Amino acid sequence: MAAMDRIRNIVILTGAGISAESGIDTFRGGGGLWEQHRVEDVATPEAFARDPELVLRFYDMRREAIQTKQPNPAHFALARLDAEWPGELLIVTQNVDDLHERAGAKRVLHMHGEHLNAWCTWCDVRSSWRGPLLNRPPCPACGARALRPDVVWFGEMPYRMDEIYAALRGCDMFVSIGTSGAVYPAAGFVGDARELGARTLELNLERSEGSAGFDESRLGPAGELVPAWVAEMLL
Ligand code: APR
């Protein structure tokens, strides 16, 4: 039976692993260290208060890096699914890069924010941003020198959770791609979806921390697994 006859609404959660083959470092790969700091010690409001230059340098480097990278076959395959899938579909990404959009996907929600936005903590306006923040440039909206990366740090609330839970409640299939399942609330989505009767599938290089919670796990590089799964779905 074709997938479309059984499944109508899909939620796809993506993590750093889907961008790994584009050359963007994952968080917990390679020791998860940056200049001897644990990423968890850089990506927090406390770290920003204590040592803003360190935190801004880290994000400036990553913002610059993503602009030199290209989407890979996994991003393109999801964009194709988004374009051709007749039911509801939502790509919930923990990634702050723009590779889903550059591959052409439209139904994308950035729950952890976006590298290419700066957020003014003075006037609360978000502006698109490609350059550095280390030099404390003024906010384009109010002029205050109070811009920070528009990225959700540990201890902060991810964005648009109501929309995500509404999509999870209505989905028949939940697919997790390239995420270690180490960070909540995203790591809990599989349990929520499964409890509500959705079929759950993991596509990851290795078994993630939440692997046992999925109906099925396919192990391998996203650049191979995702196009193959999308082809199955669109059969
Ligand atoms: N294909 C598929 N999966 C891959 C690939 C690949 N080519 N390369 C790595 N992976 C897998 C790893 O095995 C790992 O399970 O991707 C996962 C990446 O995990 P993390 O580095 O922990 O990234 P992620 O799950 O996105 O992190 C979640 O943590 O630091 C915070 O806010 C940050 O959004 C991030 C969140």
Side-chain angles (χ1 to χ4, degrees):
M1 207 196 324
M4 275 181 215
D5 296 337
R6 287 176 286 123
I7 294 158
R8 218 184 134 65
N9 301 334
I10 309 174
V11 173
I12 300 162
L13 173 70
T14 67
I18 198 170
S19 296
E21 288 156 79
S22 296
I24 299 177
D25 293 340
T26 61
F27 289 93
R28 288 166 189 80
L33 290 179
W34 177 72
E35 292 190 0
Q36 317 311 318
H37 303 279
R38 290 167 60 228
V39 170
E40 286 86 343
D41 295 336
V42 180
T44 67
E46 292 77 20
F48 188 54
R50 187 172 59 235
D51 191 349
E53 299 215 333
L54 173 82
V55 175
L56 291 174
R57 267 197 303 123
F58 173 73
Y59 285 96
D60 282 0
M61 180 194 73
R62 292 196 67 121
R63 189 181 314 101
E64 193 180 344
I66 64 154
Q67 295 179 66
T68 67
K69 310 298 181 191
Q70 302 304 328
N72 68 55
H75 298 103
F76 286 114
L78 289 189
R80 175 178 168 223
L81 185 65
D82 178 24
E84 297 182 21
W85 187 254
E88 299 283 332
L89 177 146
L90 183 64
I91 300 169
V92 177
T93 188
Q94 298 167 88
N95 297 345
V96 291
D97 66 51
D98 62 340
L99 297 185
H100 284 305
E101 288 88 345
R102 276 200 270 147
K106 301 272 185 281
R107 293 180 273 183
V108 182
L109 185 160
H110 283 271
M111 65 177 291
H112 289 168
E114 296 176 63
H115 266 323
L116 299 181
N117 274 348
W119 172 24
C120 179
T121 56
W122 184 254
C123 73
D124 201 30
V125 166
R126 289 171 167 84
S127 307
S128 34
W129 203 267
R130 292 188 171 267
L133 290 173
L134 182 62
N135 54 345
R136 302 303 181 106
C139 166
C142 76
R145 293 183 184 275
L147 295 174
R148 60 162 267 186
D150 188 18
V151 163
V152 175
W153 287 327
F154 288 99
E156 295 182 325
M157 182 59 89
Y159 296 156
R160 299 168 66 184
M161 292 304 294
D162 290 353
E163 282 170 70
I164 297 172
Y165 283 120
L168 286 170
R169 274 195 297 276
C171 78
D172 321 292
M173 184 167 195
F174 173 80
V175 186
S176 168
I177 304 172
T179 174
S180 61
V183 175
Y184 283 82
F189 293 166
V190 57
D192 299 331
R194 201 175 185 187
E195 210 161 285
L196 293 163
R199 194 182 129 56
T200 55
L201 169 67
E202 164 176 67
L203 307 176
N204 209 52
L205 196 56
E206 60 201 0
R207 285 198 170 275
S208 67
E209 290 184 24
S211 229
F214 288 85
D215 297 319
E216 188 188 352
S217 289
R218 300 183 189 174
L219 305 184
E224 290 172 20
L225 294 182
V226 179
W229 170 67
V230 166
E232 265 171 47
M233 295 300 288
L234 293 176
L235 257 187

